[in-house]
Amino acid sequence: MAAHIIADDAEALAVAASLAEEFRAGASARDVERRLPRAELDRLSASGLLAVTVPAAHGGADVSARTLSEIFRLLASADASLAQIPQSHFAYVNVIRRQGTERQRKFFFAELLSGARLGNAQSEAGTKHVQDIRTRLEPRPDGSYDLTGVKHYSTGALFAHWIPVLARADDDALHVAYVPHDAPGLTVVDDWDGLGQRTTASGTVRLEGVRVPADRVLPHHLTFQGPQLHGAVAQLLHAAIDTGIAVGALAEAVLFVRTKSRPWFESGVDTAAEDPLLIQRFGELAVQVRASEALLGDAARAVDAARADLTDGTAAEASIAVAAAKVVAARTAVEVAGALFEVSGTRSALNSLNLHRHWRDARTHTLHDPVRWKVQHIGRYVLNDTLPPRHGLL
């Protein structure tokens, strides 16, 4: 596999903007047909965007959190399913950065620079809660492991070259095993049938005695023993996806009202775009989208500041800023995607137009990590100076 190597933040943003426009053209058809974006993901790999967080010492651009979040906002404004697929990729690149040995970093960063994609086998269904991980790493006499378990919501796994699997070892501590997609005993099942983000293939991963060499296992539990940005970066990308959905839905509404909607007869105007009540509503929606974009930028700057000087205090500020961005972005995505029909009129509800994909994507993606708990942590921080928890979801 060969991939372009992106030099810096400016090039990364230019490439992302270009690909977003390319991917936008087929987004609706892919959703309707549930046509999985294999070709588009190959384009993403070849572009070098999936390696932009590789450290400069290993040949990467090591872009800022601000740039990374903007990449995801751009992609999600075009195709929210496509943007969702690499979210876990970057989360598990961060695990390699923080917990990998020099040998592990050298190997995996070279893989990434060549275009390799990381998937996700993290969540499990039917357990007590999201952090009740029961997949096991059983040690073998030669130092390797046997990996056994079943994972759900495994976004990216079907398209991945490497699948990071969250599992517990003998001491019950969390580890990440990086498993090649063709490992014996590994099965990826395309059984995702969500109402939104239909082409993420977020299905099931089954692991039956998968042999994993010791040097492909990283101690993820150590990530949370000191100040960290693992959760902040992961949630920042979720906030960027929600913001991108809102941006895309608003743009779709603008185009529809300008070109297809009729004015209400009582308005006394010739076009729907001149209707004062529609103008008012578009102004309200635009304010919400701009607020989401502003909070996303503020959160990314807080992450970058903490990355330059990582302490308990800076990590907390970053987590809270990201939480605020995610709360507003999630609410905005659902409201703007729903308001698309309100402002566009009856014709917009035609199933053949597939405008409802924006709402379906927003409603599905915003179920990630409930914002009600983010509001709780923000309130505790503001009122009682309580630092947010280090569990990777904030």
Side-chain angles (χ1 to χ4, degrees):
M1 187 189 312
H4 174 68
I5 295 179
I6 288 174
D8 53 28
D9 292 63
E11 184 183 6
L13 291 173
V15 170
S18 176
L19 284 179
E21 288 309 306
E22 178 183 324
F23 296 156
R24 191 185 312 278
S28 180
R30 286 191 296 273
D31 176 85
V32 169
E33 301 165 14
R34 198 180 175 273
R35 175 160 38 89
L36 300 181
R38 296 182 186 276
E40 289 75 16
L41 285 169
D42 285 343
R43 290 276 293 122
L44 200 60
S45 286
S47 76
L49 278 181
L50 297 182
V52 293
T53 59
V54 170
H58 289 267
D62 201 8
V63 301
S64 66
R66 182 72 183 97
T67 293
L68 187 62
S69 66
E70 180 64 6
I71 289 169
F72 273 79
R73 190 194 69 84
L74 287 166
L75 293 176
S77 73
D79 186 336
S81 286
L82 192 53
Q84 179 63 39
I85 291 169
Q87 189 273 339
S88 290
H89 168 97
F90 285 99
Y92 285 106
V93 172
N94 280 346
V95 175
I96 297 168
R97 287 186 63 141
R98 187 170 173 92
Q99 299 304 335
T101 65
E102 182 57 30
R103 181 179 177 185
Q104 288 169 328
R105 288 194 292 265
K106 182 178 180 180
F107 173 80
F108 279 111
F109 291 153
E111 288 281 292
L112 295 170
L113 289 169
S114 72
R117 296 188 290 268
L118 305 182
N120 156 43
Q122 178 171 292
S123 295
E124 300 178 12
T127 57
K128 186 176 180 180
H129 51 68
V130 70
Q131 298 230 327
D132 181 15
I133 302 298
R134 301 182 184 181
T135 299
R136 306 298 302 190
L137 277 166
E138 300 291 343
R140 296 176 56 85
D142 63 1
S144 65
Y145 296 89
D146 280 337
L147 181 61
T148 301
V150 179
K151 298 290 188 176
H152 298 267
Y153 312 117
S154 303
T155 304
L158 190 67
F159 314 107
H161 301 97
W162 293 88
I163 302 175
V165 180
L166 200 58
R168 296 194 184 276
D170 275 355
D171 59 1
D172 216 35
L174 280 176
H175 291 69
V176 179
Y178 289 74
V179 181
H181 69 98
D182 56 355
L186 169 67
T187 305
V188 181
V189 185
D190 179 20
D191 56 359
W192 169 245
D193 65 348
L195 66 89
Q197 295 197 307
R198 297 183 67 232
T199 60
T200 61
S202 302
T204 302
V205 169
R206 301 185 185 280
L207 305 131
E208 299 176 2
V210 177
R211 183 77 59 86
V212 184
D215 64 356
R216 297 292 179 263
V217 177
L218 280 70
H220 191 33
H221 60 102
L222 297 180
T223 300
F224 309 105
Q225 291 187 1
Q228 50 82 35
L229 297 172
H230 179 82
V233 172
Q235 292 297 309
L236 180 69
L237 301 187
H238 281 308
I241 292 169
D242 288 340
T243 302
I245 292 172
V247 169
L250 183 59
E252 193 97 66
V254 167
L255 178 63
F256 196 94
V257 170
R258 284 178 177 173
T259 60
K260 295 184 176 64
S261 295
R262 298 183 297 179
W264 184 243
F265 71 95
E266 293 179 285
S267 67
V269 297
D270 294 328
T271 67
E274 297 172 288
D275 185 328
L277 297 184
L278 282 181
I279 289 172
Q280 175 71 21
R281 187 61 176 132
F282 270 98
E284 293 168 349
L285 296 174
V287 167
Q288 289 179 266
V289 171
R290 283 175 175 257
S292 296
E293 292 177 315
L295 283 171
L296 181 67
D298 179 67
R301 285 188 290 273
V303 171
D304 284 327
R307 181 178 170 187
D309 179 24
L310 187 59
T311 66
D312 285 332
T314 60
E317 284 287 344
S319 288
I320 294 301
V322 170
K326 183 66 171 71
V327 169
V328 173
R331 292 172 177 172
T332 299
V334 173
E335 180 168 351
V336 173
L340 187 160
F341 302 98
E342 171 195 336
V343 298
S344 299
T346 305
R347 185 181 175 189
S348 66
L350 292 176
N351 194 56
S352 59
L353 296 176
N354 197 31
L355 295 178
H356 48 69
R357 74 183 184 279
H358 299 290
W359 183 88
R360 289 187 288 103
D361 286 342
R363 184 65 282 175
T364 300
H365 183 258
T366 55
L367 298 177
H368 275 279
D369 315 315
V371 297
R372 59 186 178 272
W373 275 101
K374 298 183 188 304
V375 174
Q376 278 283 312
H377 292 305
I378 294 168
R380 292 169 184 174
Y381 181 74
V382 170
L383 185 60
N384 297 316
D385 295 323
T386 303
L387 297 183
R390 296 171 179 162
H391 53 41
L393 297 175
L394 193 69

Short mmCIF file of all heavy atoms in Angstrom, two decimals, residues 21-57:
data_model
loop_
_atom_site.label_atom_id
_atom_site.label_comp_id
_atom_site.label_asym_id
_atom_site.label_seq_id
_atom_site.Cartn_x
_atom_site.Cartn_y
_atom_site.Cartn_z
N GLU A 21 -15.74 17.65 -0.68
CA GLU A 21 -16.54 17.98 -1.87
C GLU A 21 -16.71 16.77 -2.77
O GLU A 21 -17.78 16.54 -3.35
CB GLU A 21 -15.91 19.14 -2.62
CG GLU A 21 -16.05 20.46 -1.92
CD GLU A 21 -17.49 20.74 -1.52
OE1 GLU A 21 -18.38 20.70 -2.39
OE2 GLU A 21 -17.74 21.00 -0.32
N GLU A 22 -15.67 15.98 -2.88
CA GLU A 22 -15.74 14.77 -3.70
C GLU A 22 -16.74 13.77 -3.11
O GLU A 22 -17.55 13.17 -3.82
CB GLU A 22 -14.35 14.15 -3.79
CG GLU A 22 -14.28 12.85 -4.57
CD GLU A 22 -12.88 12.26 -4.56
OE1 GLU A 22 -11.90 13.03 -4.58
OE2 GLU A 22 -12.77 11.02 -4.51
N PHE A 23 -16.69 13.60 -1.79
CA PHE A 23 -17.55 12.61 -1.13
C PHE A 23 -19.01 13.07 -1.05
O PHE A 23 -19.92 12.24 -1.00
CB PHE A 23 -17.04 12.33 0.28
CG PHE A 23 -15.67 11.70 0.33
CD1 PHE A 23 -14.89 11.83 1.47
CD2 PHE A 23 -15.16 10.99 -0.74
CE1 PHE A 23 -13.61 11.26 1.53
CE2 PHE A 23 -13.90 10.42 -0.70
CZ PHE A 23 -13.12 10.55 0.45
N ARG A 24 -19.23 14.38 -1.05
CA ARG A 24 -20.60 14.91 -0.93
C ARG A 24 -21.49 14.44 -2.07
O ARG A 24 -22.67 14.16 -1.88
CB ARG A 24 -20.54 16.44 -0.91
CG ARG A 24 -21.84 17.11 -0.51
CD ARG A 24 -21.75 18.64 -0.64
NE ARG A 24 -20.55 19.17 -0.03
CZ ARG A 24 -20.40 19.41 1.28
NH1 ARG A 24 -21.39 19.15 2.10
NH2 ARG A 24 -19.26 19.90 1.73
N ALA A 25 -20.91 14.35 -3.26
CA ALA A 25 -21.71 14.05 -4.45
C ALA A 25 -22.43 12.72 -4.35
O ALA A 25 -23.57 12.59 -4.81
CB ALA A 25 -20.80 14.07 -5.68
N GLY A 26 -21.82 11.72 -3.75
CA GLY A 26 -22.44 10.41 -3.69
C GLY A 26 -23.01 10.03 -2.34
O GLY A 26 -23.46 8.88 -2.16
N ALA A 27 -23.03 10.95 -1.40
CA ALA A 27 -23.41 10.62 -0.02
C ALA A 27 -24.85 10.11 0.07
O ALA A 27 -25.13 9.11 0.74
CB ALA A 27 -23.21 11.83 0.89
N SER A 28 -25.78 10.80 -0.58
CA SER A 28 -27.18 10.39 -0.49
C SER A 28 -27.41 9.02 -1.11
O SER A 28 -28.10 8.17 -0.55
CB SER A 28 -28.07 11.43 -1.16
OG SER A 28 -29.43 11.04 -1.07
N ALA A 29 -26.82 8.79 -2.28
CA ALA A 29 -26.99 7.49 -2.95
C ALA A 29 -26.39 6.36 -2.12
O ALA A 29 -26.97 5.27 -2.03
CB ALA A 29 -26.35 7.53 -4.33
N ARG A 30 -25.23 6.61 -1.51
CA ARG A 30 -24.64 5.56 -0.67
C ARG A 30 -25.57 5.23 0.49
O ARG A 30 -25.72 4.06 0.87
CB ARG A 30 -23.27 6.01 -0.15
CG ARG A 30 -22.18 5.97 -1.19
CD ARG A 30 -20.79 6.15 -0.58
NE ARG A 30 -20.60 7.46 0.04
CZ ARG A 30 -20.18 8.54 -0.61
NH1 ARG A 30 -19.93 8.47 -1.91
NH2 ARG A 30 -20.01 9.69 0.02
N ASP A 31 -26.20 6.25 1.07
CA ASP A 31 -27.12 6.02 2.18
C ASP A 31 -28.34 5.24 1.73
O ASP A 31 -28.74 4.26 2.39
CB ASP A 31 -27.52 7.37 2.78
CG ASP A 31 -28.55 7.24 3.88
OD1 ASP A 31 -28.14 7.02 5.04
OD2 ASP A 31 -29.76 7.35 3.59
N VAL A 32 -28.95 5.65 0.63
CA VAL A 32 -30.16 4.98 0.14
C VAL A 32 -29.90 3.52 -0.17
O VAL A 32 -30.68 2.63 0.20
CB VAL A 32 -30.69 5.71 -1.12
CG1 VAL A 32 -31.78 4.87 -1.80
CG2 VAL A 32 -31.24 7.08 -0.74
N GLU A 33 -28.80 3.25 -0.84
CA GLU A 33 -28.48 1.89 -1.28
C GLU A 33 -27.73 1.09 -0.23
O GLU A 33 -27.46 -0.09 -0.42
CB GLU A 33 -27.64 1.96 -2.56
CG GLU A 33 -28.32 2.68 -3.70
CD GLU A 33 -27.35 3.05 -4.82
OE1 GLU A 33 -26.22 2.51 -4.82
OE2 GLU A 33 -27.72 3.89 -5.67
N ARG A 34 -27.40 1.76 0.88
CA ARG A 34 -26.48 1.21 1.88
C ARG A 34 -25.25 0.61 1.18
O ARG A 34 -24.86 -0.53 1.39
CB ARG A 34 -27.13 0.16 2.79
CG ARG A 34 -26.30 -0.04 4.07
CD ARG A 34 -26.87 -1.07 5.03
NE ARG A 34 -25.94 -1.24 6.14
CZ ARG A 34 -24.91 -2.10 6.13
NH1 ARG A 34 -24.73 -2.88 5.07
NH2 ARG A 34 -24.09 -2.18 7.14
N ARG A 35 -24.67 1.45 0.33
CA ARG A 35 -23.47 1.07 -0.40
C ARG A 35 -22.26 1.49 0.43
O ARG A 35 -22.00 2.67 0.63
CB ARG A 35 -23.46 1.74 -1.77
CG ARG A 35 -22.20 1.52 -2.58
CD ARG A 35 -22.44 1.76 -4.06
NE ARG A 35 -23.32 2.87 -4.36
CZ ARG A 35 -22.91 4.14 -4.52
NH1 ARG A 35 -21.62 4.45 -4.39
NH2 ARG A 35 -23.78 5.09 -4.81
N LEU A 36 -21.52 0.51 0.92
CA LEU A 36 -20.42 0.80 1.84
C LEU A 36 -19.30 1.54 1.11
O LEU A 36 -18.95 1.21 -0.03
CB LEU A 36 -19.89 -0.50 2.45
CG LEU A 36 -20.92 -1.29 3.26
CD1 LEU A 36 -20.29 -2.55 3.85
CD2 LEU A 36 -21.54 -0.45 4.36
N PRO A 37 -18.68 2.53 1.77
CA PRO A 37 -17.76 3.45 1.10
C PRO A 37 -16.32 2.93 1.01
O PRO A 37 -15.37 3.61 1.41
CB PRO A 37 -17.84 4.70 1.97
CG PRO A 37 -18.06 4.16 3.35
CD PRO A 37 -18.96 2.96 3.16
N ARG A 38 -16.16 1.76 0.46
CA ARG A 38 -14.81 1.18 0.39
C ARG A 38 -13.89 2.02 -0.50
O ARG A 38 -12.74 2.29 -0.13
CB ARG A 38 -14.89 -0.26 -0.14
CG ARG A 38 -15.64 -1.21 0.78
CD ARG A 38 -15.64 -2.63 0.24
NE ARG A 38 -16.46 -3.51 1.04
CZ ARG A 38 -16.08 -4.12 2.15
NH1 ARG A 38 -14.84 -3.92 2.59
NH2 ARG A 38 -16.88 -4.92 2.81
N ALA A 39 -14.39 2.43 -1.65
CA ALA A 39 -13.56 3.22 -2.56
C ALA A 39 -13.22 4.57 -1.93
O ALA A 39 -12.08 5.05 -2.05
CB ALA A 39 -14.29 3.43 -3.89
N GLU A 40 -14.19 5.17 -1.24
CA GLU A 40 -13.94 6.46 -0.61
C GLU A 40 -12.92 6.33 0.52
O GLU A 40 -12.06 7.22 0.70
CB GLU A 40 -15.25 7.03 -0.07
CG GLU A 40 -16.22 7.50 -1.14
CD GLU A 40 -16.94 6.35 -1.87
OE1 GLU A 40 -16.91 5.21 -1.36
OE2 GLU A 40 -17.51 6.60 -2.94
N LEU A 41 -12.98 5.24 1.27
CA LEU A 41 -11.99 5.03 2.34
C LEU A 41 -10.60 4.78 1.77
O LEU A 41 -9.60 5.21 2.35
CB LEU A 41 -12.42 3.87 3.23
CG LEU A 41 -13.56 4.20 4.19
CD1 LEU A 41 -14.08 2.93 4.84
CD2 LEU A 41 -13.13 5.20 5.25
N ASP A 42 -10.55 4.11 0.64
CA ASP A 42 -9.24 3.95 -0.01
C ASP A 42 -8.68 5.31 -0.45
O ASP A 42 -7.48 5.56 -0.35
CB ASP A 42 -9.37 3.01 -1.22
CG ASP A 42 -9.51 1.56 -0.82
OD1 ASP A 42 -9.20 1.22 0.35
OD2 ASP A 42 -9.93 0.75 -1.66
N ARG A 43 -9.58 6.19 -0.92
CA ARG A 43 -9.14 7.54 -1.27
C ARG A 43 -8.64 8.28 -0.02
O ARG A 43 -7.65 9.00 -0.08
CB ARG A 43 -10.31 8.32 -1.89
CG ARG A 43 -10.71 7.85 -3.26
CD ARG A 43 -9.82 8.48 -4.34
NE ARG A 43 -10.05 9.91 -4.45
CZ ARG A 43 -9.09 10.83 -4.29
NH1 ARG A 43 -7.85 10.48 -4.00
NH2 ARG A 43 -9.37 12.12 -4.42
N LEU A 44 -9.34 8.09 1.09
CA LEU A 44 -8.95 8.72 2.34
C LEU A 44 -7.57 8.23 2.79
O LEU A 44 -6.72 9.02 3.19
CB LEU A 44 -10.00 8.42 3.41
CG LEU A 44 -10.06 9.32 4.64
CD1 LEU A 44 -10.34 10.75 4.26
CD2 LEU A 44 -11.13 8.79 5.60
N SER A 45 -7.34 6.93 2.70
CA SER A 45 -6.04 6.37 3.05
C SER A 45 -4.94 6.90 2.15
O SER A 45 -3.88 7.33 2.60
CB SER A 45 -6.08 4.84 2.95
OG SER A 45 -6.78 4.27 4.03
N ALA A 46 -5.20 6.87 0.84
CA ALA A 46 -4.19 7.30 -0.12
C ALA A 46 -3.85 8.78 0.02
O ALA A 46 -2.72 9.20 -0.26
CB ALA A 46 -4.66 7.00 -1.54
N SER A 47 -4.81 9.57 0.50
CA SER A 47 -4.59 11.02 0.62
C SER A 47 -3.60 11.38 1.72
O SER A 47 -3.06 12.48 1.73
CB SER A 47 -5.92 11.71 0.93
OG SER A 47 -6.31 11.51 2.29
N GLY A 48 -3.40 10.45 2.67
CA GLY A 48 -2.52 10.72 3.80
C GLY A 48 -3.21 11.29 5.02
O GLY A 48 -2.58 11.47 6.08
N LEU A 49 -4.52 11.57 4.93
CA LEU A 49 -5.21 12.18 6.06
C LEU A 49 -5.22 11.30 7.30
O LEU A 49 -5.24 11.80 8.43
CB LEU A 49 -6.65 12.52 5.68
CG LEU A 49 -6.88 13.82 4.90
CD1 LEU A 49 -8.36 14.01 4.63
CD2 LEU A 49 -6.32 15.02 5.66
N LEU A 50 -5.21 9.99 7.12
CA LEU A 50 -5.29 9.10 8.28
C LEU A 50 -3.98 9.01 9.05
O LEU A 50 -3.92 8.40 10.12
CB LEU A 50 -5.73 7.70 7.84
CG LEU A 50 -7.13 7.62 7.23
CD1 LEU A 50 -7.48 6.19 6.88
CD2 LEU A 50 -8.17 8.23 8.17
N ALA A 51 -2.93 9.65 8.54
CA ALA A 51 -1.63 9.63 9.23
C ALA A 51 -1.23 11.00 9.75
O ALA A 51 -0.09 11.18 10.18
CB ALA A 51 -0.55 9.10 8.29
N VAL A 52 -2.15 11.95 9.76
CA VAL A 52 -1.76 13.32 10.09
C VAL A 52 -1.39 13.53 11.55
O VAL A 52 -0.81 14.57 11.90
CB VAL A 52 -2.84 14.35 9.67
CG1 VAL A 52 -2.96 14.40 8.16
CG2 VAL A 52 -4.17 14.05 10.36
N THR A 53 -1.72 12.57 12.43
CA THR A 53 -1.33 12.72 13.84
C THR A 53 -0.07 11.92 14.18
O THR A 53 0.32 11.86 15.35
CB THR A 53 -2.47 12.32 14.79
OG1 THR A 53 -2.84 10.97 14.54
CG2 THR A 53 -3.67 13.24 14.61
N VAL A 54 0.55 11.31 13.19
CA VAL A 54 1.83 10.65 13.43
C VAL A 54 2.86 11.71 13.83
O VAL A 54 2.96 12.75 13.19
CB VAL A 54 2.30 9.89 12.17
CG1 VAL A 54 3.74 9.40 12.32
CG2 VAL A 54 1.36 8.72 11.88
N PRO A 55 3.63 11.46 14.89
CA PRO A 55 4.62 12.46 15.34
C PRO A 55 5.63 12.81 14.26
O PRO A 55 5.98 11.98 13.42
CB PRO A 55 5.28 11.78 16.54
CG PRO A 55 4.29 10.78 17.02
CD PRO A 55 3.57 10.30 15.79
N ALA A 56 6.10 14.04 14.31
CA ALA A 56 7.08 14.50 13.32
C ALA A 56 8.35 13.66 13.36
O ALA A 56 8.98 13.43 12.32
CB ALA A 56 7.41 15.97 13.58
N ALA A 57 8.72 13.19 14.54
CA ALA A 57 9.93 12.37 14.66
C ALA A 57 9.82 11.06 13.89
O ALA A 57 10.84 10.44 13.57
CB ALA A 57 10.21 12.08 16.14
#
